[in-house]
């Protein structure tokens, strides 16, 4: 959530990335003969053309999909659902068809989060995580509107992320305000005609068109991170059209909006401390300190050094606005590989803080390219457009400045970022009201207690809101996205049992994290 390397299931699994029959859609729902004409009939009854997912010789995602037996199609949807006869856009989908046709459940639509993340490439690894039950589902990856292979949106930003730290003083805060205002103006200039339609509600409407175009009366759904909110909205807008719903990394809809990172500071501090203990046990490799306290002190030295003068890392300069964003990107996956990559990146920044010439490690180079160049402009553009289009943000910069100053002393690394302004402060107001999410849904919720993105309190809040749901808790892991990603049989088997039977566990379940190595 909220960064290109934020640890959605697709990225965390390192995948990052059926028969080919033309299908005539069945009616979306049965109704009386004199029912009113369906204004979306042309979309609900469209014929999907399934074809190879490979776009060219360098298309790794397409090749992985093809090897898994997937085929791809474009679904036509209206840009504006209030004007279904107007401009159209396309939403790209992939599908691995069920092979156990005698016990077929139906389609399982996927969303890997973001917002703005691509999901079209996810069916192969999700199908693998599902084990035997996967044969009973059509596993469907969807690049939401304006994402990936769908009709694109790009505000032509010089960055892939709208989020920055506010700096150490009012002058630094004013720079981030000017930066945010410029990003908003670029979107207004380069994509203003579509911005009002880049919303979760419209993505949910697209999902229902996909459902109908597939010839299905109901869909099952697996959503990670922001995808949990999308699932909540879809189930609210289209009651009765969901079968089995799994939400992993649960967002409390009452807290969703342009400032949804607020409240995650404690979980991020805990995740940083857990990583610091891991790095301290490997001081001979990374040289960050022999105790957790020493490693955390090294992180603070880097923060202070970047605030004084930008750190030189290859062709990039990391200042006090960017350094906290690098740390955020390093915290979401609780495993040796992710911890090691973050430790290498922190070692690089520590060396740069001492004036050494440093070529950043591959992970750090990727984060810096994302944050400091235009290579992922499209990702940041869509992510921000969704957040700003879903709900209004305070317009007065003084609101943010007071929040930053109020929380800075307690947490000088994370709180200034989570309370800082972003382009939503300068965005046009949302066209629709935020969705009031239904107060009951029989869904399976999954969350780790130490998740630094969709923190555990949100999962507990949704569980309390939905008495008929069940919560599977992974205890002792600072992990974002669990099912099929973290590798604990207790969680994976609970999800697969639900997908197989449609029956939720009798009670909430607790699962233990893997033993530390």
């Amino acid at each position: 959530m909220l960064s290109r390397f934020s640890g959605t299931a697709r990225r965390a699994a390192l995948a990052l990335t059926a028969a080919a029959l033309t299908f005539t859609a069945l009616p979306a729902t049965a109704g009386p003969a004199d029912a009113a004409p369906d204004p979306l009939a042309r979309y609900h009854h469209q014929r999907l053309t399934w074809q190879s997912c490979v776009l060219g010789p360098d298309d790794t995602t397409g090749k992985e999909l093809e090897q898994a037996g997937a085929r791809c199609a474009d679904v036509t949807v209206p840009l504006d659902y209030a004007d279904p006869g107007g401009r159209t856009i396309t939403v790209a989908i992939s599908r691995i068809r069920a092979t156990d046709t005698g016990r077929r459940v139906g389609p399982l639509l996927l969303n890997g989060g973001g917002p703005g993340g691509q999901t079209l490439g996810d069916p192969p690894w999700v199908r693998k995580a599902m084990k035997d039950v996967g044969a009973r589902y059509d596993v469907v990856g969807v690049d939401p509107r304006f994402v990936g292979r769908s009709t694109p949106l790009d505000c032509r930003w010089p960055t892939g992320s709208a989020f920055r730290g506010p700096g150490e003083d009012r002058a630094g805060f004013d720079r981030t305000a000017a930066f945010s205002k410029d990003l908003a103006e670029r979107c207004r200039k380069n994509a203003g005609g579509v911005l009002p339609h880049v919303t979760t509600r419209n993505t949910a409407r697209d999902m229902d068109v996909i459902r109908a175009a597939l010839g299905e009366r109901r869909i099952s759904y697996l959503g990670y991170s922001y995808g949990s909110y999308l699932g909540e909205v879809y189930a609210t807008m289209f009651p009765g059209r969901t079968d089995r719903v799994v939400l992993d990394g649960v967002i409390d809809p009452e807290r969703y909006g342009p400032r949804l990172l607020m409240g995650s500071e404690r979980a991020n501090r805990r995740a940083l401390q857990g990583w610091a203990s891991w790095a301290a046990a490997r001081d001979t490799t990374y040289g960050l300190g022999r105790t957790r306290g020493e490693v955390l002190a090294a992180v603070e030295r880097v923060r202070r050094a970047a605030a004084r003068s930008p750190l030189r890392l290859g062709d990039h300069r990391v200042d006090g606005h960017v350094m906290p964003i690098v740390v955020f990107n390093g915290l979401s996956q609780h495993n040796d590989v992710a911890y090691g990559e973050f430790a290498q990146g922190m070692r690089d920044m520590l060396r740069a803080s001492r004036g050494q010439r440093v070529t950043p490690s591959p992970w750090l180079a990727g984060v810096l390219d994302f944050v400091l160049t235009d290579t992922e402009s499209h990702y940041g553009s869509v992510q921000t457009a969704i957040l700003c289009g879903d709900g209004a943000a305070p317009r007065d910069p003084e609101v943010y400045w007071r929040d930053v100053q109020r929380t800075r002393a307690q947490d000088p690394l994370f709180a200034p970022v989570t309370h800082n302004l972003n382009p939503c402060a300068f965005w046009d107001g949302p066209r629709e009201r935020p969705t009031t999410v239904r107060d009951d849904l029989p869904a399976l919720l999954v969350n780790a207690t130490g998740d630094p993105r969709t923190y555990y309190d949100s999962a507990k809040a949704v569980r309390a809101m939905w008495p008929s749901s069940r919560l599977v808790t992974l205890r002792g892991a600072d992990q974002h996205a669990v099912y099929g990603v973290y590798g604990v049989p207790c969680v994976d088997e609970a999800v697969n049992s639900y997908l197989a039977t449609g029956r939720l566990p009798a009670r909430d379940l607790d699962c233990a994290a893997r033993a530390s190595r």
Side-chain angles (χ1 to χ4, degrees):
M1 182 176 66
L2 295 187
S3 65
R4 179 65 177 84
F5 302 90
S6 62
T8 65
R10 176 177 58 83
R11 298 177 196 119
L14 301 181
L16 295 187
T17 54
L21 300 177
T22 300
F23 200 83
T24 302
L26 299 172
T29 56
D34 59 352
D38 177 6
L40 299 176
R42 61 180 284 210
Y43 304 102
H44 288 162
H45 298 282
Q46 64 186 289
R47 296 172 64 89
L48 300 183
T49 302
W50 296 97
Q51 55 195 2
S52 171
C53 298
V54 181
L55 299 182
D58 299 324
D59 181 11
T60 302
T61 297
K63 291 177 181 177
E64 291 175 351
L65 285 164
E66 186 167 81
Q67 289 170 3
R71 303 288 283 179
C72 289
D74 288 332
V75 181
T76 301
V77 299
L79 171 67
D80 182 356
Y81 277 86
D83 181 22
R87 178 180 168 185
T88 63
I89 58 175
T90 59
V91 173
I93 67 174
S94 62
R95 180 178 67 178
I96 301 176
R97 301 198 71 173
T99 54
D100 187 352
T101 55
R103 298 190 299 160
R104 180 180 179 273
V105 176
L108 176 70
L109 268 64
L110 312 177
N111 184 278
Q118 299 178 37
T119 307
L120 181 133
D122 288 358
W125 72 260
V126 172
R127 173 66 180 79
K128 183 177 180 181
M130 295 172 74
K131 297 186 177 177
D132 292 345
V133 72
R136 299 174 57 193
Y137 283 86
D138 294 346
V139 184
V140 181
V142 181
D143 277 353
R145 56 172 48 204
F146 306 114
V147 171
R149 298 189 185 186
S150 299
T151 298
L153 181 155
D154 190 345
C155 296
R156 302 178 188 173
W157 281 0
T159 180
S161 175
F163 295 89
R164 293 291 190 275
E168 299 295 299
D169 53 23
R170 183 60 195 236
F173 175 81
D174 289 344
R175 284 194 296 273
T176 60
F179 172 76
S180 295
K181 185 176 182 180
D182 176 67
L183 296 183
E185 290 175 346
R186 287 172 184 256
C187 278
R188 202 171 285 116
K189 174 183 177 182
N190 295 309
V194 302
L195 289 183
H197 313 293
V198 192
T199 66
T200 298
R201 287 178 64 85
N202 279 331
T203 299
R205 293 177 176 117
D206 295 344
M207 286 173 56
D208 204 57
V209 169
I210 293 168
R211 174 199 59 76
L214 291 173
E216 305 289 345
R217 288 180 172 83
R218 296 197 299 174
I219 59 171
S220 294
Y221 179 77
L222 169 62
Y224 292 86
S225 192
Y226 161 79
S228 71
Y229 179 70
L230 174 60
E232 294 162 3
V233 171
Y234 179 81
T236 298
M237 293 178 65
F238 300 97
R241 295 185 183 172
T242 57
D243 186 355
R244 300 163 200 189
V245 175
V246 180
L247 307 181
D248 187 321
V250 185
I251 291 178
D252 179 356
E254 296 297 320
R255 300 185 65 91
Y256 173 81
R259 305 185 78 188
L260 83 169
L261 276 181
M262 286 174 54
S264 68
E265 303 86 9
R266 180 181 175 186
N268 276 281
R269 287 196 301 270
R270 185 169 54 232
L272 183 65
Q273 291 166 355
W275 164 82
S277 296
W278 182 94
R282 295 158 179 80
D283 180 56
T284 55
T285 301
Y286 301 108
L288 296 174
R290 290 177 293 180
T291 68
R292 183 176 79 175
E294 289 178 358
V295 174
L296 294 173
V299 174
E300 176 62 12
R301 286 198 301 274
V302 171
R303 187 191 71 80
R304 291 178 178 272
R308 289 192 303 269
S309 179
L311 311 180
R312 298 182 60 182
L313 289 142
D315 295 331
H316 296 301
R317 302 293 181 269
V318 176
D319 61 16
H321 301 293
V322 171
M323 184 272 177
I325 305 302
V326 174
V327 177
F328 260 103
N329 275 275
L331 300 174
S332 71
Q333 297 304 297
H334 190 159
N335 62 65
D336 288 344
V337 173
Y339 274 11
E341 290 176 341
F342 181 39
Q344 289 177 340
M346 190 55 63
R347 178 188 60 190
D348 292 343
M349 290 194 290
L350 183 62
R351 290 174 175 173
S353 73
R354 297 167 177 162
Q356 297 176 240
R357 297 182 64 87
V358 178
T359 298
S361 59
W363 175 84
L364 180 57
V367 173
L368 296 181
D369 283 344
F370 167 59
V371 176
L372 296 173
T373 76
D374 63 0
T375 55
E376 295 284 352
S377 166
H378 58 282
Y379 178 85
S381 301
V382 177
Q383 180 177 90
T384 305
I386 293 171
L387 291 172
C388 302
D390 281 349
R395 309 284 294 182
D396 184 359
E398 296 304 317
V399 171
Y400 303 91
W401 172 244
R402 288 193 296 269
D403 287 348
V404 167
Q405 292 298 87
R406 175 175 53 82
T407 58
R408 187 195 299 274
Q410 181 180 356
D411 185 348
L413 179 59
F414 295 118
V417 176
T418 62
H419 290 82
N420 198 21
L421 48 64
N422 61 60
C424 297
F426 306 97
W427 215 261
D428 295 340
R431 176 167 290 194
E432 296 184 84
R433 290 177 178 271
T435 303
T436 300
V437 170
R438 61 187 290 180
D439 60 7
D440 181 52
L441 180 71
L444 187 63
L445 314 176
V446 181
N447 224 97
T449 54
D451 187 337
R453 292 293 176 272
T454 49
Y455 50 98
Y456 187 57
D457 284 349
S458 291
K460 292 192 292 183
V462 174
R463 172 66 180 90
M465 183 173 71
W466 292 346
S468 57
S469 68
R470 295 292 181 269
L471 174 60
V472 179
T473 298
L474 175 64
R475 298 198 175 275
D478 301 325
Q479 172 71 26
H480 182 54
V482 180
Y483 170 67
V485 179
Y486 184 70
V488 171
C490 175
V491 174
D492 293 355
E493 290 170 5
V495 174
N496 287 340
S497 176
Y498 169 59
L499 292 175
T501 64
R503 294 191 298 272
L504 290 165
R507 61 186 64 84
D508 294 342
L509 300 177
D510 281 358
C511 297
R514 296 189 303 258
S516 299
R517 286 178 243 176

